[in-house]
């Protein structure tokens, strides 16, 4: 089984290489980052969500489960992307979250030119499964979106 922190870090690195996604982060690639649990300093995902700047994308390993792929037992790792869009103003098109989701799935990293849906994020995993996007609400009642992504391991490293 791979170290899921590598998967989250690789996903962040490849997302930072999508020029249009970085542009959506006001040109700051550091606004695409991974959250890693580190007790006691970083032991609350709720707190991390509350501190996310707008705009930003935070990648979080949510868990690993057994699965099957082509009749073979494999590990499936879920990394969820939490999205905060940039501020919009009257007259701006209401496309901020739609655009982020499109760039996460269809954006092409500069180094490879391969759409994210087909990109190799970790050499021991298949490309991401087709993700979904869903609305969530934080403790203050503010909405954000999350994109759970599943990566299926190739074999068992």
């Amino acid at each position: 089984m791979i170290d899921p922190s590598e998967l989250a870090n690789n996903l962040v690195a490849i997302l930072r290489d999508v020029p249009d996604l970085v542009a959506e982060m006001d040109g700051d690639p550091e606004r695409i980052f991974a959250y890693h649990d580190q007790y006691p300093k970083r032991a609350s995902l709720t707190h991390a969500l509350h501190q996310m700047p707008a705009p930003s994308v935070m990648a979080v390993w949510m868990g690993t489960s057994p699965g099957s792929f082509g009749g073979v037992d494999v590990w499936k790792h879920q990394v969820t992307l939490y999205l905060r869009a940039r501020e919009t103003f009257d007259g701006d098109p209401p496309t901020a979250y739609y655009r982020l989701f499109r760039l996460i799935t269809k954006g092409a990293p500069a180094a490879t030119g391969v759409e994210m849906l087909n990109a190799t994020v970790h050499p021991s995993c298949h490309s991401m499964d087709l993700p979904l996007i869903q609305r969530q609400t934080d403790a203050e009642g503010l909405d954000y979106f999350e994109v759970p992504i599943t990566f299926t391991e190739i074999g068992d490293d």
Side-chain angles (χ1 to χ4, degrees), residues 73-150:
D73 291 337
V74 294
W75 295 109
K76 293 182 173 265
H77 306 281
Q78 184 181 328
V79 177
T80 297
L81 299 177
Y82 293 92
L83 314 178
R84 291 243 191 239
R86 69 171 123 170
E87 183 177 358
T88 54
F89 302 97
D90 289 341
D92 287 347
T95 60
Y97 284 107
Y98 309 123
R99 182 161 170 74
L100 289 176
F101 185 60
R102 179 160 179 79
L103 290 169
I104 289 165
T105 57
K106 296 288 193 175
T112 64
V114 175
E115 286 183 356
M116 286 298 300
L117 282 173
N118 299 314
T120 300
V121 173
H122 192 285
S124 294
C125 292
H126 294 284
S127 307
M128 70 173 81
D129 291 353
L130 199 58
L132 63 94
I133 184 170
Q134 55 195 8
R135 180 183 305 268
Q136 296 293 335
T137 304
D138 68 15
E140 293 183 341
L142 298 175
D143 287 354
Y144 61 94
F145 282 81
E146 66 179 25
V147 179
I149 301 173
T150 301

